[in-house]
Amino acid sequence: MLYIDGIWKESESKESFDVINPATGKVVDTVAKGSRKEAQSAIDAAQNAFPLWVKLTAKERYIYLKKAADILRGRVDSLAELITKEMGKPVAEAKGEIGLAIDYLDWYAEEGKRIYGDTIPASSPTKRLMVIHQPVGVIGAITPWNFPIAMITRKLAPALAAGCTVVLKPSEESPLSAMEVVKALHEAGIPNGVVNLVHGDAKEIGDALMESPVIKKITFTGSTAVGKELVRKSANTMKKVSMELGGHAPFIVFEDADLDKAVEGAIASKFRNAGQTCVCTNRIFVQKSISEEFAHRLKTQMEQLVVGNGLEEGVNIGPLINECAIEKTESHVIDAVSKGAKVIYGGSKTEGEAFSKGHFFNPTVLLHATNDMKIAYEETFGPVAPIFEFETEEEVIEKANDTIYGLASYIFTQNGARMFRVSEALDYGIVGVNDAMPTVAQAPFGGVKESGIGREGGKYGIEDYLETKFISFDFK
Ligand code: NAP
């Protein structure tokens, strides 16, 4: 169902689409297919709600966000099951995502109270200079399916806390999880029109948002290709943009690393969400003297990973989102092998009756990966770990930075000086030093180069929803 001006509704055309469970191929639910018309109604509702929402105090807005967080906290089990059915990640991972999604609501509910301004020393004794921050206005938020609720609250929580109203367009792969976030806000009593949800035709809804002068900012998480298109379209109405785009994370293991920790980190970072995260390791660089030992230990640990329907107990690797994702993953393996890589684990689709209706790919390790392979420069978005060897620190920094992307990176070493040197030399927005899971609500998340513009999370995340106003008083 669409949610516009506080009312749940079908689309005017009565068109709908099916949400498919990627593990079973079965229909999870059928939902309304919104179009440009519904997007426009949602924009109008958000515009009408803005004067009221902006006038509330930060404490009043805090109450709505906190209540929504509490409602979600009470629904973790059912919501996790829904996420798993809708997009495939194992239930334990879905619960982790819900925890992060709630953290954003909790954190920004509080942070809204700390939107401070400045006073600036004047150049004249009769003048006083003041800087205040005000909400940007109506926001268009477009989100992907791979974190179907955390990517939503990471945008909605700072936007609402700052005093903005929102039109949300989630991915058509995961509208059900989006509805649950909006339901929680609705039940928390958020005024009509402050949050609106329109899912359906991505291009039509996207164009309505991009063309509208009412939408003052677009916040997008998704692929770099779509992000670029949205940035181009934003120029016509000079919208602010926040772009959380693709990544190609290097995971660097030096010979002085704690190898067990590095292997554990590589598995967490590479195989979470079956390799379908923007911060997933894409290239594992291992210093030559330890590469065989690392590969052996990685393979041994991977033998414990269980592929299957994420609803089943003990499953670590769920399905990929759709058949295109399988094809891309398979093509990366075939290309790498044709150029000299050796498959030491996995390497193909998961066979067997239990997997025949879903989109499953075996967790895979490739040895002897090289820079000319597609996997070295394209985002795989699947469970394939290619191992590249390196000799020196300088060499690996150059190789790690040799990509159009710059989102997350990881280094494993026990040498303190190297931790500083390498983390400062990497052209990435995020560096995990002996830390494969750095994302938290209170820290900035985002990339450089073609991984995006802006930051989400922490005190930085709310700045993108605020304008800066300078007020000069002269009382001469
Ligand atoms: P995607 O194809 O770019 O889609 C993202 C969102 O954009 C979806 O809601 C999609 O709608 C919508 N969309 C597609 N075409 C559009 C258009 N012409 N106008 C307006 N909206 C449009 O990306 P995805 O496959 O869902 O997600 C995977 C990508 O997201 C990866 O590249 C990943 O690295 C990136 N990602 C980045 C971050 C980050 O924080 N940097 C986090 C997660 C994911 P439909 O799905 O309905 O088509």
Side-chain angles (χ1 to χ4, degrees), residues 142-147 151 154 169-173 200 202-203 206-207 220-224 226 229-230 233 244-247 277-278 379 381 407 445 451 456:
I142 303 178
T143 55
W145 50 267
N146 65 341
F147 285 92
M151 295 303 98
R154 195 161 82 179
K169 194 217 90 63
S171 167
E172 75 170 337
E173 309 277 4
K203 176 132 189 348
D207 283 351
F220 172 76
T221 297
S223 62
T224 294
V226 174
E229 195 184 318
L230 298 181
K233 288 179 179 168
E244 294 288 347
L245 309 177
T277 85
C278 51
E379 212 181 1
F381 242 53
L407 185 55
F445 185 103
S451 285
E456 294 188 322

